[in-house]
Amino acid sequence: MKRRFYLRLLFSKSSHFSLRMSILGIISLLSKRTLNTTPSLQEVMLTSERYGVQRLPFSHVSNRDLAFFECLMPGRVITDPDELKLFNVDWLQSGHLVRCLHFGPCLGKRGGTGILICQAGCILENLSQYLESMDFTMPLDLGAKGSCHIGGNVATNAGGLRVLRYGSLRGTVLGLEVVLADGSILNCLASLQKDNTGYDLKQLFIGSEGTLGVITTVSILCPQKPKAVNLAFLGCPGFSQVLETFTTCRGMLGEILSAYEFMDDKSMKLVESHLKLSNPVTGSPFYVLIETSGSNSAHDEEKLNHFLEQAMTSGLVMDGTVVTEDKRIKALWALRERITEALTHDGYVYKYDISLPVKRLYDLVTDTRERLGRSAKNVVGYGHLGDGNLHLNITAESYSHSLLEAIEPFVYEWTAQYQVSISAEHGLGFKKKHYIHYSKPREAVHLMQKFKAMLDPKGILNPYKTLDNV
Amino acid sequence: MKRRFYLRLLFSKSSHFSLRMSILGIISLLSKRTLNTTPSLQEVMLTSERYGVQRLPFSHVSNRDLAFFECLMPGRVITDPDELKLFNVDWLQSGHLVRCLHFGPCLGKRGGTGILICQAGCILENLSQYLESMDFTMPLDLGAKGSCHIGGNVATNAGGLRVLRYGSLRGTVLGLEVVLADGSILNCLASLQKDNTGYDLKQLFIGSEGTLGVITTVSILCPQKPKAVNLAFLGCPGFSQVLETFTTCRGMLGEILSAYEFMDDKSMKLVESHLKLSNPVTGSPFYVLIETSGSNSAHDEEKLNHFLEQAMTSGLVMDGTVVTEDKRIKALWALRERITEALTHDGYVYKYDISLPVKRLYDLVTDTRERLGRSAKNVVGYGHLGDGNLHLNITAESYSHSLLEAIEPFVYEWTAQYQVSISAEHGLGFKKKHYIHYSKPREAVHLMQKFKAMLDPKGILNPYKTLDNV
């Protein structure tokens, strides 16, 4: 049963699945588990069971199929149900994983610019370390960097902490290699910064959550490693001061501002209680993390000091700390990056990832908290303020359908009064696909369905995700 | 005859062209000519005649059609052949124009970020001025800014002078409204910095040269206007010094480097002789323009001075000048921006726009010059070195088929030894569509053709361009 579930990507009703597609399947069987956050292997209800998903008419893995895989990669096909369990549950303890083999990345340099080419299965943090050793930096940084794969990052158009400085992956991904549903390989792996020959096909696969093709190789433009990095962790007396602090530092720090994150008091409390991290600045209802990255440490410090003086004098900021050493920067970033992890320790998590006009960003948290009252354990808000991106998270002791019904569609209807995205950077996946109409007009969804039907007529690529079946 | 040519966008063999599509057509008839560079209205051979284009089975404009347009917009339909002539010839004196009505842009501000929404027919320079008056800046800047429309810029994914700093339009365009071939309007006009709900459809229209849909409205993320701008114009003794100067300034100027352009001596000579502009630094075989944009003039000047000292001491730069006043900056930029205009005064121009590894960039110019010898009047090279983008231009007294045959496929075969793009930022258009295979594999071209067939089954959108008919 679980085995079939895991391998369903490979087997459509028709038996005409191609060799290349099979190899991809094998590859996903091969890689070793590399998650830093190992989930406790408690019994988790499968998505198909929890949400009563009707299985699409895919075929099942036969002994003949297994023999075929065994022949391709002798001794490396896993069929033991206990071993497979690990692959059926993700670290949020829902959904399942498909993994790709990864081998070494390579960096090309062109006139002071780094161009990284790597396999989809490379772990983001490993790529970052590889690049830093060569004085370059990854334009993408996420809290989950220790476990997430670059292929997945691109497939979901992951945003993260550095969008403010380096923009979205749509600008930094130079090329992709993608395996299509018919088993053919689409090579869009150019490593050129500019290329206007025909349509930019790779864009369609960025952010399509694996539903149009499987990304196997990625080429990314990587900026030079900044010579000086400063990180300020500040406490603000209210959300309006969080906003004003952003406008002020945007003007005064300008081109060296590389991140502006905000966290509410409740999310910091969870990090402190569940992960035993210590918050150097306490007693504020809101906190912000301001990172600068520049080429001249004296200039950067001067800019930062001017800004801090101004922010303290005008009462925007109550208290704060600034660090410049690498180790202390990492420790301070952990307060923000590990909120997601702290939340999973708090119980079952209902996660929302919304683009909103910044002025209204926190009202959604307040209103949701009020609405849910004691039926929720915690309602927290944090996120990438510089990108207008709120992460709203609600925890409860365990999953409850009635709590879900109190949250949805309330959250979507609340946000519908503004021009919003109900998935700023996480993707629609399985749980949010029905809500796409809150962000996209009918004609757009219809066109997406036409693309899906054209590129994956049998619906074998990441089924049940992103779009409803036509 | 000319009338038919101009209006052919609107009339497919089938008479089922929709009302909306017709309105678009009317709109293109309405707008007044706003080109700064008015072409001399000498008789120009139409592309269809020069290249013997076989007309696709489109219908012709009937009196009934004209009556329909007249009824929609009384008194504004142009049918006089002399008046229409203007619309059949572009300023490079080939091709033809389709124009859109434009009305006022509007700027939204969100936490120190500007989001511009404007009609496709807005002139780039007008948008720039509008934004600057509100302390924001356009992420796109081109030599042709005085005449080009933002809709065309997006449809061709125009690159220009600021890609180095603000990235490509794919990252800064937040939303589009597009009219599809069936007359329906696709609204992807979100103004959010992040939105991962479904596939990013707008990307397919960016850079598709109007062959998949007509862009009618654009939303763009606009950075704050830099507080300090410096421009250095420097002479280098050779192309290897041009490259080394780039690497040096990339390291020393870092985040404030906003443009790095190079020009060869020959292109400067054309600007001086045809446009009577004076070059303040003479006697070098190569020139570079280095622009910095930052938030602190004292810091920026200090960085620039350190860099210049280093570049002069080490012999990378022979001579140079630095300006900071707005007027002098504009005058100096004109030396680079008006090369294209100077070339048109030199005769018929064969234009190439290639992405190459920077180290080989100028070899193509030298080799082409040697190959063509006296059959060409001038062979010049300049471009966006920071993006690895060469503009190779060849002039002759008049168009000659034999000269074209000496250039093509030579240029494409020369570049094929590297991983290149034969159209870095200009698009394939009519003349280069046959050469797409030098940059894209067969499978990719095949997939593009499938998209074209799906979105424009009758082939009425910008016919004869980008892709060969299937």
Side-chain angles (χ1 to χ4, degrees), chain A residues 381-402:
Chain A
Y382 61 96
H384 316 295
L385 194 109
D387 317 323
N389 184 184
L390 168 75
H391 294 320
L392 165 69
N393 284 256
I394 298 146
T395 61
E397 286 305 341
S398 60
Y399 174 79
S400 138
H401 199 69
S402 69

PDB file of all heavy atoms in Angstrom, chain A residues 381-402:
ATOM      1  N   GLY A 381       2.351  35.550  14.086  1.00  0.00           N
ATOM      2  CA  GLY A 381       2.627  36.182  12.806  1.00  0.00           C
ATOM      3  C   GLY A 381       4.081  36.619  12.724  1.00  0.00           C
ATOM      4  O   GLY A 381       4.633  37.160  13.676  1.00  0.00           O
ATOM      5  N   TYR A 382       4.701  36.341  11.604  1.00  0.00           N
ATOM      6  CA  TYR A 382       6.081  36.773  11.353  1.00  0.00           C
ATOM      7  C   TYR A 382       6.258  36.747   9.838  1.00  0.00           C
ATOM      8  O   TYR A 382       5.349  36.320   9.119  1.00  0.00           O
ATOM      9  CB  TYR A 382       7.086  35.849  12.059  1.00  0.00           C
ATOM     10  CG  TYR A 382       7.010  34.409  11.606  1.00  0.00           C
ATOM     11  CD1 TYR A 382       7.864  33.916  10.617  1.00  0.00           C
ATOM     12  CD2 TYR A 382       6.052  33.552  12.150  1.00  0.00           C
ATOM     13  CE1 TYR A 382       7.765  32.607  10.195  1.00  0.00           C
ATOM     14  CE2 TYR A 382       5.952  32.237  11.727  1.00  0.00           C
ATOM     15  CZ  TYR A 382       6.813  31.763  10.747  1.00  0.00           C
ATOM     16  OH  TYR A 382       6.711  30.476  10.323  1.00  0.00           O
ATOM     17  N   GLY A 383       7.394  37.204   9.365  1.00  0.00           N
ATOM     18  CA  GLY A 383       7.593  37.095   7.921  1.00  0.00           C
ATOM     19  C   GLY A 383       8.501  38.142   7.315  1.00  0.00           C
ATOM     20  O   GLY A 383       9.192  38.885   8.015  1.00  0.00           O
ATOM     21  N   HIS A 384       8.455  38.145   5.977  1.00  0.00           N
ATOM     22  CA  HIS A 384       9.366  38.971   5.186  1.00  0.00           C
ATOM     23  C   HIS A 384       8.670  40.301   4.938  1.00  0.00           C
ATOM     24  O   HIS A 384       8.039  40.489   3.896  1.00  0.00           O
ATOM     25  CB  HIS A 384       9.683  38.268   3.884  1.00  0.00           C
ATOM     26  CG  HIS A 384       9.969  36.806   4.055  1.00  0.00           C
ATOM     27  ND1 HIS A 384      11.064  36.342   4.753  1.00  0.00           N
ATOM     28  CD2 HIS A 384       9.297  35.701   3.659  1.00  0.00           C
ATOM     29  CE1 HIS A 384      11.050  35.022   4.746  1.00  0.00           C
ATOM     30  NE2 HIS A 384       9.997  34.598   4.090  1.00  0.00           N
ATOM     31  N   LEU A 385       8.792  41.226   5.873  1.00  0.00           N
ATOM     32  CA  LEU A 385       8.075  42.484   5.742  1.00  0.00           C
ATOM     33  C   LEU A 385       8.496  43.246   4.484  1.00  0.00           C
ATOM     34  O   LEU A 385       7.678  43.882   3.821  1.00  0.00           O
ATOM     35  CB  LEU A 385       8.260  43.362   6.976  1.00  0.00           C
ATOM     36  CG  LEU A 385       7.251  44.505   6.988  1.00  0.00           C
ATOM     37  CD1 LEU A 385       6.209  44.295   8.065  1.00  0.00           C
ATOM     38  CD2 LEU A 385       7.907  45.842   7.096  1.00  0.00           C
ATOM     39  N   GLY A 386       9.770  43.147   4.155  1.00  0.00           N
ATOM     40  CA  GLY A 386      10.279  43.839   2.970  1.00  0.00           C
ATOM     41  C   GLY A 386       9.597  43.403   1.690  1.00  0.00           C
ATOM     42  O   GLY A 386       9.569  44.142   0.708  1.00  0.00           O
ATOM     43  N   ASP A 387       9.049  42.206   1.671  1.00  0.00           N
ATOM     44  CA  ASP A 387       8.347  41.710   0.480  1.00  0.00           C
ATOM     45  C   ASP A 387       6.835  41.713   0.659  1.00  0.00           C
ATOM     46  O   ASP A 387       6.115  41.186  -0.186  1.00  0.00           O
ATOM     47  CB  ASP A 387       8.765  40.271   0.156  1.00  0.00           C
ATOM     48  CG  ASP A 387      10.254  40.032   0.265  1.00  0.00           C
ATOM     49  OD1 ASP A 387      11.008  40.947  -0.099  1.00  0.00           O
ATOM     50  OD2 ASP A 387      10.663  38.956   0.725  1.00  0.00           O
ATOM     51  N   GLY A 388       6.341  42.270   1.765  1.00  0.00           N
ATOM     52  CA  GLY A 388       4.891  42.268   2.021  1.00  0.00           C
ATOM     53  C   GLY A 388       4.344  40.863   2.247  1.00  0.00           C
ATOM     54  O   GLY A 388       3.223  40.557   1.879  1.00  0.00           O
ATOM     55  N   ASN A 389       5.144  40.017   2.859  1.00  0.00           N
ATOM     56  CA  ASN A 389       4.814  38.592   2.974  1.00  0.00           C
ATOM     57  C   ASN A 389       4.684  38.172   4.446  1.00  0.00           C
ATOM     58  O   ASN A 389       5.644  38.171   5.191  1.00  0.00           O
ATOM     59  CB  ASN A 389       5.928  37.797   2.282  1.00  0.00           C
ATOM     60  CG  ASN A 389       5.703  36.296   2.230  1.00  0.00           C
ATOM     61  OD1 ASN A 389       6.583  35.588   1.760  1.00  0.00           O
ATOM     62  ND2 ASN A 389       4.583  35.795   2.700  1.00  0.00           N
ATOM     63  N   LEU A 390       3.445  37.822   4.832  1.00  0.00           N
ATOM     64  CA  LEU A 390       3.157  37.391   6.205  1.00  0.00           C
ATOM     65  C   LEU A 390       3.069  35.871   6.300  1.00  0.00           C
ATOM     66  O   LEU A 390       2.418  35.228   5.480  1.00  0.00           O
ATOM     67  CB  LEU A 390       1.806  37.980   6.641  1.00  0.00           C
ATOM     68  CG  LEU A 390       1.199  37.405   7.927  1.00  0.00           C
ATOM     69  CD1 LEU A 390       1.929  37.921   9.160  1.00  0.00           C
ATOM     70  CD2 LEU A 390      -0.300  37.722   8.025  1.00  0.00           C
ATOM     71  N   HIS A 391       3.719  35.313   7.326  1.00  0.00           N
ATOM     72  CA  HIS A 391       3.479  33.914   7.657  1.00  0.00           C
ATOM     73  C   HIS A 391       2.573  33.888   8.886  1.00  0.00           C
ATOM     74  O   HIS A 391       2.995  34.260   9.984  1.00  0.00           O
ATOM     75  CB  HIS A 391       4.792  33.185   7.939  1.00  0.00           C
ATOM     76  CG  HIS A 391       5.665  33.072   6.725  1.00  0.00           C
ATOM     77  ND1 HIS A 391       5.156  32.796   5.476  1.00  0.00           N
ATOM     78  CD2 HIS A 391       7.000  33.200   6.554  1.00  0.00           C
ATOM     79  CE1 HIS A 391       6.147  32.755   4.594  1.00  0.00           C
ATOM     80  NE2 HIS A 391       7.272  33.005   5.211  1.00  0.00           N
ATOM     81  N   LEU A 392       1.350  33.466   8.672  1.00  0.00           N
ATOM     82  CA  LEU A 392       0.375  33.337   9.762  1.00  0.00           C
ATOM     83  C   LEU A 392       0.303  31.861  10.129  1.00  0.00           C
ATOM     84  O   LEU A 392       0.082  31.014   9.254  1.00  0.00           O
ATOM     85  CB  LEU A 392      -0.993  33.825   9.271  1.00  0.00           C
ATOM     86  CG  LEU A 392      -2.216  33.456  10.123  1.00  0.00           C
ATOM     87  CD1 LEU A 392      -2.203  34.204  11.467  1.00  0.00           C
ATOM     88  CD2 LEU A 392      -3.514  33.753   9.366  1.00  0.00           C
ATOM     89  N   ASN A 393       0.549  31.545  11.381  1.00  0.00           N
ATOM     90  CA  ASN A 393       0.547  30.146  11.819  1.00  0.00           C
ATOM     91  C   ASN A 393      -0.342  29.983  13.042  1.00  0.00           C
ATOM     92  O   ASN A 393      -0.283  30.797  13.973  1.00  0.00           O
ATOM     93  CB  ASN A 393       1.966  29.690  12.167  1.00  0.00           C
ATOM     94  CG  ASN A 393       2.808  29.429  10.923  1.00  0.00           C
ATOM     95  OD1 ASN A 393       3.047  28.300  10.545  1.00  0.00           O
ATOM     96  ND2 ASN A 393       3.243  30.499  10.269  1.00  0.00           N
ATOM     97  N   ILE A 394      -1.119  28.915  13.011  1.00  0.00           N
ATOM     98  CA  ILE A 394      -2.049  28.640  14.110  1.00  0.00           C
ATOM     99  C   ILE A 394      -1.747  27.234  14.610  1.00  0.00           C
ATOM    100  O   ILE A 394      -1.682  26.293  13.812  1.00  0.00           O
ATOM    101  CB  ILE A 394      -3.500  28.731  13.603  1.00  0.00           C
ATOM    102  CG1 ILE A 394      -3.778  30.151  13.094  1.00  0.00           C
ATOM    103  CG2 ILE A 394      -4.486  28.330  14.692  1.00  0.00           C
ATOM    104  CD1 ILE A 394      -4.721  30.221  11.936  1.00  0.00           C
ATOM    105  N   THR A 395      -1.557  27.098  15.910  1.00  0.00           N
ATOM    106  CA  THR A 395      -1.277  25.753  16.437  1.00  0.00           C
ATOM    107  C   THR A 395      -2.437  25.277  17.305  1.00  0.00           C
ATOM    108  O   THR A 395      -3.185  26.062  17.874  1.00  0.00           O
ATOM    109  CB  THR A 395       0.010  25.722  17.288  1.00  0.00           C
ATOM    110  OG1 THR A 395      -0.146  26.610  18.402  1.00  0.00           O
ATOM    111  CG2 THR A 395       1.223  26.147  16.490  1.00  0.00           C
ATOM    112  N   ALA A 396      -2.553  23.952  17.363  1.00  0.00           N
ATOM    113  CA  ALA A 396      -3.549  23.306  18.237  1.00  0.00           C
ATOM    114  C   ALA A 396      -2.935  21.995  18.710  1.00  0.00           C
ATOM    115  O   ALA A 396      -1.961  21.515  18.108  1.00  0.00           O
ATOM    116  CB  ALA A 396      -4.826  23.059  17.460  1.00  0.00           C
ATOM    117  N   GLU A 397      -3.485  21.413  19.779  1.00  0.00           N
ATOM    118  CA  GLU A 397      -2.891  20.171  20.289  1.00  0.00           C
ATOM    119  C   GLU A 397      -2.819  19.102  19.194  1.00  0.00           C
ATOM    120  O   GLU A 397      -1.841  18.397  19.070  1.00  0.00           O
ATOM    121  CB  GLU A 397      -3.678  19.656  21.493  1.00  0.00           C
ATOM    122  CG  GLU A 397      -3.466  20.456  22.787  1.00  0.00           C
ATOM    123  CD  GLU A 397      -1.999  20.584  23.206  1.00  0.00           C
ATOM    124  OE1 GLU A 397      -1.148  19.799  22.745  1.00  0.00           O
ATOM    125  OE2 GLU A 397      -1.691  21.521  23.978  1.00  0.00           O
ATOM    126  N   SER A 398      -3.907  19.009  18.421  1.00  0.00           N
ATOM    127  CA  SER A 398      -3.889  18.041  17.322  1.00  0.00           C
ATOM    128  C   SER A 398      -4.792  18.559  16.200  1.00  0.00           C
ATOM    129  O   SER A 398      -5.491  19.558  16.366  1.00  0.00           O
ATOM    130  CB  SER A 398      -4.388  16.679  17.812  1.00  0.00           C
ATOM    131  OG  SER A 398      -5.711  16.835  18.288  1.00  0.00           O
ATOM    132  N   TYR A 399      -4.768  17.851  15.069  1.00  0.00           N
ATOM    133  CA  TYR A 399      -5.585  18.281  13.935  1.00  0.00           C
ATOM    134  C   TYR A 399      -7.063  18.218  14.291  1.00  0.00           C
ATOM    135  O   TYR A 399      -7.522  17.232  14.862  1.00  0.00           O
ATOM    136  CB  TYR A 399      -5.304  17.380  12.718  1.00  0.00           C
ATOM    137  CG  TYR A 399      -6.222  17.670  11.563  1.00  0.00           C
ATOM    138  CD1 TYR A 399      -5.999  18.763  10.738  1.00  0.00           C
ATOM    139  CD2 TYR A 399      -7.335  16.860  11.314  1.00  0.00           C
ATOM    140  CE1 TYR A 399      -6.867  19.042   9.683  1.00  0.00           C
ATOM    141  CE2 TYR A 399      -8.197  17.138  10.264  1.00  0.00           C
ATOM    142  CZ  TYR A 399      -7.955  18.229   9.453  1.00  0.00           C
ATOM    143  OH  TYR A 399      -8.803  18.504   8.422  1.00  0.00           O
ATOM    144  N   SER A 400      -7.780  19.279  13.950  1.00  0.00           N
ATOM    145  CA  SER A 400      -9.221  19.261  14.181  1.00  0.00           C
ATOM    146  C   SER A 400      -9.927  19.868  12.981  1.00  0.00           C
ATOM    147  O   SER A 400      -9.604  20.978  12.545  1.00  0.00           O
ATOM    148  CB  SER A 400      -9.550  20.052  15.459  1.00  0.00           C
ATOM    149  OG  SER A 400     -10.705  20.851  15.263  1.00  0.00           O
ATOM    150  N   HIS A 401     -10.885  19.117  12.472  1.00  0.00           N
ATOM    151  CA  HIS A 401     -11.588  19.571  11.280  1.00  0.00           C
ATOM    152  C   HIS A 401     -12.416  20.815  11.583  1.00  0.00           C
ATOM    153  O   HIS A 401     -12.514  21.723  10.754  1.00  0.00           O
ATOM    154  CB  HIS A 401     -12.475  18.452  10.734  1.00  0.00           C
ATOM    155  CG  HIS A 401     -12.853  18.671   9.309  1.00  0.00           C
ATOM    156  ND1 HIS A 401     -11.925  18.595   8.277  1.00  0.00           N
ATOM    157  CD2 HIS A 401     -14.032  18.985   8.732  1.00  0.00           C
ATOM    158  CE1 HIS A 401     -12.522  18.855   7.143  1.00  0.00           C
ATOM    159  NE2 HIS A 401     -13.816  19.095   7.383  1.00  0.00           N
ATOM    160  N   SER A 402     -12.963  20.887  12.786  1.00  0.00           N
ATOM    161  CA  SER A 402     -13.799  22.057  13.108  1.00  0.00           C
ATOM    162  C   SER A 402     -12.950  23.323  13.230  1.00  0.00           C
ATOM    163  O   SER A 402     -13.367  24.405  12.841  1.00  0.00           O
ATOM    164  CB  SER A 402     -14.618  21.808  14.383  1.00  0.00           C
ATOM    165  OG  SER A 402     -13.749  21.765  15.498  1.00  0.00           O
TER     166      SER A 402
END
